[in-house]
Amino acid sequence: MNIEKRQEIERRFVRKVAEGLIAAGYAVTVDYGMDEPGIAESTNIKAIMAEVMACDEEWLVAMKADESGQMKRAGMVFLVYGNDGWDVINDYSVSLEPALQAANALADQLERQHA
């Protein structure tokens, strides 16, 4: 598979992850592991997608307001780019599994199509 096709698959998959998190009521922070995140606590898919794939690896941090309204980290999805595309998730918090069901189903579908 060429690089452009792999990146297209990665982008499609990461969008599905972000959509699942937002649909489950989370805001998303794109964290590159630097001092400042790429984007913090966003529910805007377009803005999130503009920030992803800036590095070889990054975290999508799921944020949710607690009872006092403070945004708290609820879990994270660790993304590593450059492999086969559908396997971009390297690790994630088990608590986020329900929000990632559609993304995991897409990963299975993409693997069958492109493996």
Side-chain angles (χ1 to χ4, degrees):
M1 169 183 329
N2 67 37
I3 292 171
E4 291 81 16
K5 184 65 173 174
R6 177 187 46 83
Q7 289 175 334
E8 175 188 318
I9 290 170
E10 289 170 340
R11 183 164 287 287
R12 180 176 170 199
F13 184 72
V14 171
R15 175 180 283 278
K16 187 64 79 174
V17 170
E19 288 171 346
L21 292 173
I22 292 167
Y26 298 103
V28 176
T29 293
V30 179
D31 187 344
Y32 311 124
M34 307 291 203
D35 291 335
E36 296 291 323
I39 190 169
E41 301 169 5
S42 179
T43 56
N44 182 314
I45 289 290
K46 194 173 191 176
I48 293 166
M49 292 308 296
E51 292 296 326
V52 299
M53 299 179 74
C55 299
D56 292 335
E57 56 187 47
E58 61 203 9
W59 294 262
L60 297 185
V61 183
M63 306 292 290
K64 203 164 219 177
D66 65 12
E67 56 279 346
S68 70
Q70 290 274 21
M71 293 300 279
K72 299 288 183 185
R73 182 184 196 151
M76 63 101 201
V77 180
F78 181 47
L79 306 173
V80 176
Y81 301 104
N83 295 308
D84 292 316
W86 60 83
D87 58 350
V88 70
I89 288 183
N90 183 270
D91 196 10
Y92 62 86
S93 301
V94 175
S95 61
L96 300 179
E97 200 158 283
L100 300 176
Q101 284 181 339
N104 285 329
L106 178 61
D108 291 342
Q109 174 192 347
L110 291 170
E111 182 179 14
R112 283 190 302 274
Q113 286 177 340
H114 300 284

